[in-house]
Amino acid sequence: MHRRLLDRMSLDAFRVFEAAARHMNFSAAARELLVTQAAVSRRIQKLETDLQADLFIREGRRLELTPKGETLYRRTQAALDFLSEGLGEILPREAPASVVIAASGSISHLWLSRTLRGYVLARPDEDVRLVTSDKGSDLSADTNDLTVLYSLGAHPDWALTPLLQERLIPVAAPDYLSRLAPGRAPEDLGANEIAAMTLFDYARVNAYWRSLRDWFQWQGIAPNRVRPRVVFPTYPMAVDAALSGEGVMLGSQELLSDHLRAGRLVELSRQVLVTGYGYYLGLPRHRAPTPQALTLYHWLLAAASGEVRPG
């Protein structure tokens, strides 16, 4: 019976669902897939009809996966990853990249991918492969020419140089703030006022990450008084929710610098939590870097310091 149902459904339906569930936002999924938001919505509705199950809870502009949606999301991700690996064994192998750089999903999505676009545009004869993972073993693998690590600045296999310091502050879209606190200067809001707003948090990939509860606890508010409406599985998903004007998340000033400069997000306090951690750019300690890796290394440091335009 399940096989007959699958025969009537297209792989594209699951690809659209996976993107929508990953972003928790139909518009963001549409931008990734280069289709309209309406097309994503129609495809999800048809998938729900075929499966005779609700996959999302829709409350206004807010999305949340149902228990069945959570199950399908995990299975779909695993299936697409398995298919991708299988195609990699069949398709002709690509020529190796000039430089392989590894980084976590947060900095890859919000800063590094844009910066790398500027780099390759300036050097059309060079190519770069970005390995995105939140696993420490992937980030420190000796197959990488460069790595970006969330760290205090020390690693046995990588010589680390500060790239972006971590400074955390609650942020939201201006439209959200104008609805919740009309006429108020965003930086003058108190911690108790912010705690009463719709809060978004993100899953901590490791024990060193800081979340909304840490910022509020630093402000003297007990963690049990902080109740996020949604805890997203990834940091970029929480950012997308804040950008859509749905609530407040704890933002990194460095990772969100473009959104803050453009006014798409605003800081809701003057109280910036400096954790002592940051993103560090690493060169291998036990082998000489290639000339191409060194060129990219210096470009990224210059981009982080504002000496060159990232892209």
Side-chain angles (χ1 to χ4, degrees):
M1 176 180 175
H2 292 168
R3 182 56 185 268
R4 290 197 298 271
L5 177 61
L6 283 172
D7 288 343
R8 300 202 310 267
M9 303 168 71
S10 71
L11 176 63
D12 190 56
F14 294 100
R15 187 170 67 94
V16 171
F17 167 72
E18 190 276 337
R22 174 161 37 85
H23 289 287
M24 209 64 74
N25 184 291
F26 286 2
S27 296
R31 289 193 295 270
E32 176 182 315
L33 299 171
L34 302 179
V35 297
T36 65
Q37 187 271 342
V40 170
S41 182
R42 286 195 300 270
R43 187 58 61 93
I44 296 298
Q45 288 176 353
K46 185 176 187 308
L47 184 60
E48 290 178 320
T49 300
D50 289 340
L51 295 175
Q52 298 181 14
D54 291 331
L55 301 176
F56 292 95
I57 299 171
R58 301 165 176 84
E59 295 184 3
R61 298 174 63 185
R62 187 172 70 87
L63 285 180
E64 185 177 340
L65 286 169
T66 65
K68 289 183 178 179
E70 287 276 8
T71 299
L72 183 63
Y73 178 47
R74 292 195 300 270
R75 297 288 187 179
T76 301
Q77 277 196 317
L80 291 175
D81 288 344
F82 185 75
L83 179 60
S84 178
E85 291 175 8
L87 290 174
E89 296 174 1
I90 296 170
L91 295 173
R93 294 190 179 275
E94 298 177 356
S98 299
V99 183
V100 177
I101 180 171
S104 68
S106 298
I107 190 169
S108 292
H109 180 83
L110 295 166
W111 187 83
L112 187 55
S113 60
R114 172 178 54 84
T115 305
L116 290 176
R117 286 198 296 272
Y119 177 82
V120 296
L121 285 173
R123 292 165 175 77
D125 295 332
E126 296 187 19
D127 58 294
V128 178
R129 182 163 70 91
L130 174 59
V131 176
T132 299
S133 175
D134 289 321
K135 294 181 180 179
S137 56
D138 292 338
L139 299 179
S140 59
D142 60 10
T143 52
N144 301 326
D145 296 299
L146 299 173
T147 189
V148 179
L149 299 178
Y150 178 77
S151 168
L152 288 172
H155 193 280
D157 299 321
W158 295 88
L160 301 180
T161 300
L163 188 67
L164 300 174
Q165 185 183 14
E166 183 173 67
R167 293 188 289 259
L168 303 175
I169 192 167
V171 300
D175 288 347
Y176 177 81
L177 184 63
S178 65
R179 295 197 305 272
L180 269 290
R184 294 290 304 278
E187 66 273 14
D188 290 336
L189 292 173
N192 283 295
E193 292 177 279
I194 300 171
M197 295 179 175
T198 299
L199 303 178
F200 296 136
D201 213 345
Y202 43 85
R204 295 168 68 162
V205 173
N206 61 52
Y208 307 113
W209 274 30
R210 297 291 177 261
S211 67
L212 263 176
R213 283 190 171 92
D214 295 297
W215 187 87
F216 281 111
Q217 188 171 18
W218 176 58
Q219 291 296 298
I221 296 179
N224 61 5
R225 289 183 52 201
V226 181
R227 300 182 180 276
R229 177 73 62 85
V230 181
V231 178
F232 290 97
T234 68
Y235 183 83
M237 288 174 68
V239 174
D240 285 341
L243 285 168
S244 66
E246 299 169 14
V248 177
M249 56 96 56
L250 186 66
S252 163
Q253 288 180 325
E254 287 69 30
L255 294 185
L256 301 181
S257 58
D258 275 1
H259 294 308
L260 292 168
R261 277 196 300 268
R264 293 186 289 269
L265 293 172
V266 294
E267 298 175 358
L268 303 189
S269 172
R270 299 179 190 272
Q271 304 303 314
V272 180
L273 176 58
V274 180
T275 67
Y277 280 82
Y279 291 96
Y280 287 76
L281 183 59
L283 286 170
R285 287 187 183 276
H286 308 301
R287 55 187 166 87
T290 65
Q292 295 93 335
L294 278 176
T295 300
L296 177 56
Y297 172 83
H298 291 297
W299 168 279
L300 292 175
L301 292 178
S305 66
E307 295 175 25
V308 300
R309 188 176 177 183

